[in-house]
């Protein structure tokens, strides 16, 4: 694609997103929001960072839009730092692969570290990355789940106490354990400073439920992305010795209850092999709406 901002390939017209496209992008993201909470959240952050500064996408963040003949968005590729979000509604596989290869080779582009999105979109994109010399280091498949009805609040486990406004030092051991058990890819190293920095952001910007059992730190859950009318929850962790007591179910339910009080729907993704967690979410009213995949390179 070189430095050109537009191209036409087999039906879809592709263009680099500009500030004048923001309204159409947001309309598209809102329409498909349950499937795009993380991408929409990062787009909102990008928009807020750049509006009024006269900047366009090339640089740290880039978005390529695929438009049909009526100029409606049918696909996009969104690079947020080293994270790539693909989303294709109307596409041909070979076309999507070619456009992806050109997109990731734009001038000033950073190397992709993580590819994430609906499984069918990621499968197309990962083939294109492989052709450009990328090799998957870790791959995780999830169920994407959504809840728009009132949460089914379970009874509170006896001995459990919810702590309001916990200090970072109280939450950190659980956050560190969560990241090492559920987040850090096998080829990566846990960094305490990065974990603490991320936790400070969560405490400042997200909703968090922290619980003690018998006076001991036991469980946590927090939101990790906010789009337009939907929040995504994650960071769910229960200390191993306290599992099987209904603590995780209650903590997640209270977090969802808080999100719903804001008038938002709730989404999450859970590893397909994590049957206990899937059962917890189903018990609370979540239903699967698709398959989600995250690759690390």
């Amino acid at each position: 694609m070189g430095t050109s901002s537009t191209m036409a390939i087999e039906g879809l017209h592709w263009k680099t997103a500009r500030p004048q496209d923001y309204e159409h992008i947001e309309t598209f993201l809102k329409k498909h929001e349950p499937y795009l909470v993380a991408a929409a959240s990062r787009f909102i952050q990008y928009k807020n960072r750049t509006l009024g500064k006269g900047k366009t996408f090339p640089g740290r963040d880039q978005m390529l839009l695929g438009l049909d003949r009526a100029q409606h968005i049918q696909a996009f590729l969104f690079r947020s730092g080293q994270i790539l979000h693909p989303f294709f509604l109307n596409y041909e596989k070979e076309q999507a692969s070619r456009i992806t290869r050109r997109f990731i080779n734009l001038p000033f582009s950073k190397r992709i570290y993580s590819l994430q999105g609906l499984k069918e979109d990621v499968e197309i994109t990962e083939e294109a990355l492989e052709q450009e010399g990328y090799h998957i280091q870790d791959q995780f498949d999830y169920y994407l789940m959504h809840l728009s009805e009132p949460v089914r609040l379970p009874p509170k486990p006896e001995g459990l106490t919810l702590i309001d406004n916990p200090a970072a030092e109280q939450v950190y051991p659980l956050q560190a354990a969560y990241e090492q058990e559920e987040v850090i890819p096998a080829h990566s190293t846990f960094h305490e400073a990065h974990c603490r920095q991320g936790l400070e952001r969560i405490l400042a910007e997200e909703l968090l439920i922290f619980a003690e059992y018998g006076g001991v730190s036991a469980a946590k859950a927090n939101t990790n992305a906010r789009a337009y009318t939907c929040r995504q929850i994650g960071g769910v962790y229960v200390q191993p010795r306290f599992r099987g007591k209904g603590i995780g179910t209650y903590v997640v339910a209270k977090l969802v209850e808080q999100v719903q009080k804001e008038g938002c729907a709730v989404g999450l993704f859970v590893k397909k092999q994590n049957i206990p967690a899937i059962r917890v979410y189903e018990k609370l009213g979540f239903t699967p709406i698709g398959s989600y995949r995250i690759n690390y390179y």
Side-chain angles (χ1 to χ4, degrees):
M1 183 161 51
T3 59
S4 172
S5 63
T6 64
M7 73 168 59
I9 296 182
E10 297 175 5
L12 289 188
H13 171 74
W14 294 83
K15 58 174 285 186
T16 302
R18 304 294 185 190
Q20 58 265 33
D21 300 310
Y22 287 176
E23 183 177 346
H24 295 300
I25 294 170
E26 292 198 314
T27 297
F28 182 83
L29 291 173
K30 289 175 183 178
K31 183 177 180 180
H32 305 285
E33 186 175 357
Y35 304 95
L36 294 168
V37 177
S41 176
R42 291 189 172 106
F43 173 78
I44 292 168
Q45 292 169 21
Y46 171 80
K47 176 187 171 185
N48 292 340
R49 267 198 319 269
T50 59
L51 274 183
K53 299 180 181 180
K55 294 183 179 179
T56 52
F57 271 89
R60 180 185 181 277
D61 302 310
Q62 299 165 309
M63 179 178 276
L64 198 65
L65 304 175
L67 309 176
D68 61 20
R69 293 183 179 180
Q71 297 299 298
H72 297 141
I73 298 174
Q74 294 294 329
F76 70 74
L77 289 166
F78 179 33
R79 176 203 294 269
S80 178
Q82 292 180 280
I83 300 172
L84 181 61
H85 293 278
F87 190 74
F88 307 117
L89 281 180
N90 180 13
Y91 64 89
E92 293 178 5
K93 185 175 180 180
E94 183 58 32
Q95 174 200 119
S97 178
R98 274 204 311 277
I99 201 74
T100 299
R101 292 173 62 189
R102 298 186 187 188
F103 179 64
I104 64 174
N105 287 313
L106 280 171
F108 312 114
S109 293
K110 289 185 176 181
R111 183 171 177 81
I112 300 299
Y113 169 71
S114 176
L115 169 64
Q116 51 187 266
L118 293 176
K119 183 179 177 181
E120 57 266 32
D121 298 335
V122 170
E123 285 177 332
I124 293 170
T125 313
E126 67 190 18
E127 289 184 16
L129 290 175
E130 184 177 354
Q131 292 176 37
E132 293 299 315
Y134 282 80
H135 300 287
I136 298 171
Q137 298 294 318
D138 287 284
Q139 183 177 83
F140 301 102
D141 285 319
Y142 305 84
Y143 288 116
L144 184 63
M145 305 186 79
H146 188 73
L147 176 64
S148 54
E149 300 298 321
V151 65
R152 303 167 189 162
L153 193 65
K156 181 180 177 182
E158 187 176 348
L160 189 71
T161 303
L162 301 185
I163 307 299
D164 293 329
N165 303 313
E169 285 304 315
Q170 289 178 280
V171 183
Y172 173 73
L174 297 182
Q175 182 66 23
Y178 163 72
E179 290 189 11
Q180 292 176 79
E181 186 173 318
E182 293 290 336
V183 178
I184 304 298
H187 70 285
S188 297
T189 303
F190 172 76
H191 295 285
E192 179 179 343
H194 293 169
C195 179
R196 289 186 179 279
Q197 184 180 23
L199 177 58
E200 291 292 346
R201 187 200 67 80
I202 289 171
L203 292 172
E205 301 176 9
E206 303 288 352
L207 301 176
L208 180 140
I209 299 291
F210 174 76
E212 293 182 346
Y213 187 77
V216 179
S217 298
K220 64 170 281 290
N222 56 268
T223 57
N224 56 20
R226 179 171 188 164
Y228 301 97
T229 62
C230 185
R231 275 200 168 198
Q232 182 173 280
I233 68 172
V236 179
Y237 187 79
V238 180
Q239 282 212 56
R241 59 178 162 149
F242 296 127
R243 293 173 186 173
K245 300 179 182 292
I247 293 174
T249 305
Y250 186 77
V251 167
V252 171
K254 293 301 289 184
L255 177 62
V256 172
E257 183 181 53
Q258 228 178 320
V259 172
Q260 292 183 332
K261 285 180 180 179
E262 294 185 341
C264 293
V266 191
L268 59 86
F269 46 87
V270 55
K271 289 178 180 176
K272 289 187 173 182
Q273 69 270 28
N274 193 346
I275 303 303
I278 293 169
R279 288 174 177 163
V280 165
Y281 298 135
E282 290 178 336
K283 182 178 179 181
L284 296 177
F286 284 87
T287 56
I289 60 172
S291 292
Y292 200 86
R293 172 173 286 183
I294 299 179
N295 290 350
Y296 293 96
Y297 295 90

